[in-house]
């Protein structure tokens, strides 16, 4: 934590100007509406496929053998909708005084409505993380790039999120709502995450420095499951590098992942660099894609980063969902916009040549 905060403090006055200029790309006015138009039918089709698992809680989703990977695909689609919603909000916040202000506002509300329904359906599947990640990402975006949120509102909102987490935890396993059950669930979640940590500290010494073979092999997880169904069997596990993982509840404490991949000194360096990168992201305000990348990264840090293995948190949630997906969206929109402008540019060039001949 000290290394992370030190990296953040040192990078407060730094920014990557070249990267900011390259990523400050033109975003067509209706670009993200086109993404919604293309993805909404796929989302509806996926919901139809998962119709037998909706509103039956987390247990049925785990026990279902048909379409076992589809809930994960649905969560990934929710993350894409989150990126679109943040982009639409950012465009409206910057250009709301322009002649397209009302159009951008309608796009933002449409994206927010679709994302809200998608989150409701994910809750019915027992998936809580898309909701809480989205809430934190939006709060971070508003407080970092628009205006700071008042402390009393932040405290009330945080308490509401924590209580909602306890409520949804009971509902997804089919338990009746009760105050005792809710608080018991909230208190036991850190305990479940600590199983792997306590076992690691009791059976292994803390390494000074390690090479992240496990993490590097986990980047195979970026390959879509459609093209590589057995990809989880291809990358290394902690057991392959000499560590037995004790995780009866499924959560992996991030301390265990850090020590097994980087060691103590390596973890200090990695967290220092990570804190510096996030601070430079927050400094690059002119690039909308950087804003969205920063907000989504912070959203995943708040919950899943501390309890998911690196193959999920760093590879999928950071590299794929928070960084690669927003960049791919903006680059693809710019490519399409440039292709649409080619005939106009060609005609303007021919007109200039005719003028020169005359």
């Amino acid at each position: 934590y000290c290394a992370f905060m030190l990296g953040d403090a040192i990078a407060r006055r730094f920014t990557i100007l070249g990267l900011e200029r390259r990523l400050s790309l033109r975003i067509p006015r209706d670009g993200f509406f086109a993404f919604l138009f293309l993805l909404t039918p796929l989302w509806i089709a996926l919901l139809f496929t998962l119709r037998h698992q909706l509103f039956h809680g987390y247990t049925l989703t785990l026990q279902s053998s048909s379409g076992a990977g589809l809930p994960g695909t649905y969560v990934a689609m929710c993350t894409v909708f989150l990126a679109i919603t943040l982009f639409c909000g950012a465009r409206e916040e910057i250009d709301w005084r322009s002649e397209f202000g009302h159009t951008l506002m309608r796009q933002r509300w449409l994206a927010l409505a679709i994302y809200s329904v998608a989150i409701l359906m994910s809750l019915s599947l027992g998936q809580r993380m898309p909701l809480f990640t989205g809430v934190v990402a939006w709060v971070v975006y508003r407080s970092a790039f628009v205006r700071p949120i008042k402390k009393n509102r932040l405290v009330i909102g945080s308490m509401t999120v924590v209580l909602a987490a306890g409520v949804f935890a009971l509902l997804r396993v089919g338990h009746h709502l009760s105050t005792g059950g809710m608080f018991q669930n909230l208190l036991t979640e850190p305990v479940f995450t600590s199983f792997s940590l306590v076992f690691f500290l009791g059976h292994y010494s803390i390494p000074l420095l390690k090479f992240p073979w496990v993490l590097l092999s986990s980047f195979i997880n970026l390959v879509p499951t459609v093209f590589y169904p057995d990809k989880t069997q291809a990358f290394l596990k902690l057991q392959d590098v000499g560590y037995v993982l004790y995780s009866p509840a499924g959560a992996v404490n991030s301390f265990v992942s850090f020590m097994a991949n980087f060691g103590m000194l390596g973890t200090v360096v990695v967290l220092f660099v990570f804190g510096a990168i996030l601070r430079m992201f927050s400094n690059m305000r002119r690039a909308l894609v950087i804003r969205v990348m920063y907000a989504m990264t912070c959203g995943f840090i708040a919950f899943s980063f501390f309890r998911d293995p690196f193959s999920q948190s760093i590879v999928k949630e950071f590299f794929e969902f928070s960084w690669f997906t927003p960049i791919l969206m903006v680059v693809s929109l710019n490519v399409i916009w440039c292709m649409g402008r080619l005939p106009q540019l060609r005609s303007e060039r021919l007109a200039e040549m005719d003028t020169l001949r005359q």
Side-chain angles (χ1 to χ4, degrees):
Y1 290 115
C2 292
F4 181 87
M5 291 187 290
L6 181 62
D8 173 83
I10 291 177
R12 283 183 181 274
R13 297 182 180 271
F14 291 93
T15 184
I16 309 176
L17 295 177
L19 180 62
E20 185 177 15
R21 285 195 298 268
R22 286 180 174 83
L23 292 180
S24 297
L25 302 174
R26 179 184 177 89
I27 300 179
R29 175 167 52 92
D30 298 323
F32 296 108
F33 179 79
F35 275 120
L36 287 176
F37 180 78
L38 293 174
L39 291 176
T40 301
L42 298 177
W43 167 57
I44 295 174
L46 185 57
L47 277 178
F48 181 78
T49 306
L50 293 168
R51 64 190 183 279
H52 298 300
Q53 299 183 33
L54 297 175
F55 300 100
H56 287 286
Y58 193 57
T59 306
L60 179 62
T61 302
L62 289 177
Q63 294 175 349
S64 177
S65 58
S66 60
L70 291 180
T73 304
Y74 186 85
V75 171
M77 184 165 287
C78 289
T79 306
V80 175
F81 280 137
L82 171 61
I84 295 174
T85 304
L86 289 172
F87 270 122
C88 291
R91 281 297 306 275
E92 183 199 0
E93 182 260 323
I94 292 176
D95 299 331
W96 70 276
R97 293 182 182 273
S98 68
E99 57 181 317
F100 306 116
H102 292 292
T103 300
L104 295 174
M105 182 178 65
R106 287 194 293 269
Q107 290 183 12
R108 193 252 299 187
W109 281 110
L110 175 62
L112 185 59
I114 294 176
Y115 177 66
S116 299
V117 177
I119 287 300
L120 177 62
M121 296 298 103
S122 73
L123 290 174
S124 75
L125 292 169
Q127 303 290 340
R128 298 174 297 167
M129 285 301 120
L131 170 64
F132 301 128
T133 299
V135 170
V136 173
W138 187 256
V139 169
V140 168
Y141 181 87
R142 297 290 296 180
S143 60
F145 302 114
V146 182
R147 66 176 63 89
I149 298 176
K150 295 182 179 180
K151 293 181 179 180
N152 57 345
R153 293 184 178 179
L154 185 60
V155 171
I156 295 174
S158 301
M159 293 177 61
T160 303
V161 170
V162 171
L163 292 176
V167 171
F168 290 129
L170 291 178
L171 292 177
R172 72 173 186 166
V173 294
H175 291 174
H176 296 292
L177 288 179
S178 65
T179 304
M182 182 179 62
F183 283 103
Q184 180 183 2
N185 184 274
L186 290 174
L187 294 175
T188 54
E189 287 231 13
V191 174
F192 293 155
T193 306
S194 67
F195 284 158
S196 58
L197 173 61
V198 173
F199 185 86
F200 179 87
L201 294 177
H203 291 78
Y204 304 103
S205 59
I206 296 178
L208 191 63
L209 192 64
K210 298 278 289 185
F211 189 82
W213 294 113
V214 177
L215 175 60
L216 293 178
S217 69
S218 298
F219 278 89
I220 301 175
N221 206 19
L222 293 176
V223 180
T225 307
V226 176
F227 302 115
Y228 196 174
D230 298 327
K231 62 181 179 180
T232 56
Q233 306 299 323
F235 50 79
L236 297 174
K237 308 295 189 299
L238 294 182
Q239 293 87 335
D240 298 323
V241 293
Y243 295 102
V244 175
L245 180 64
Y246 180 72
S247 178
V252 180
N253 191 282
S254 60
F255 181 89
V256 177
S257 298
F258 273 117
M259 292 302 109
N261 280 279
F262 302 106
M264 184 175 63
L265 293 180
T267 299
V268 171
V269 174
V270 168
L271 289 179
F272 174 86
V273 173
F274 188 42
I277 289 175
L278 287 182
R279 171 54 63 180
M280 286 188 286
F281 275 6
S282 68
N283 292 339
M284 292 186 280
R285 297 171 175 267
R286 290 184 298 173
L288 290 186
V289 64
I290 294 291
R291 292 187 178 195
V292 174
M293 290 164 59
Y294 176 78
M296 294 186 66
T297 302
C298 293
F300 283 116
I301 287 176
F303 293 99
S304 55
F305 180 60
F306 297 98
R307 63 187 302 275
D308 286 343
F310 280 176
S311 60
Q312 178 66 24
S313 60
I314 292 182
V315 176
K316 299 290 288 186
E317 295 168 356
F318 289 169
F319 274 89
E320 181 177 352
F321 297 147
S322 300
W323 301 346
F324 179 73
T325 299
I327 291 175
L328 180 62
M329 285 183 177
V330 174
V331 170
S332 61
L333 287 177
N334 275 266
V335 170
I336 295 173
W337 179 78
C338 291
M339 292 176 63
R341 287 268 298 170
L342 282 178
Q344 180 181 351
L345 294 174
R346 188 179 296 110
S347 61
E348 292 176 355
R349 181 62 177 169
L350 292 174
E352 291 178 1
M353 294 176 64
D354 292 337
T355 304
L356 291 175
R357 291 194 189 98
Q358 294 175 359

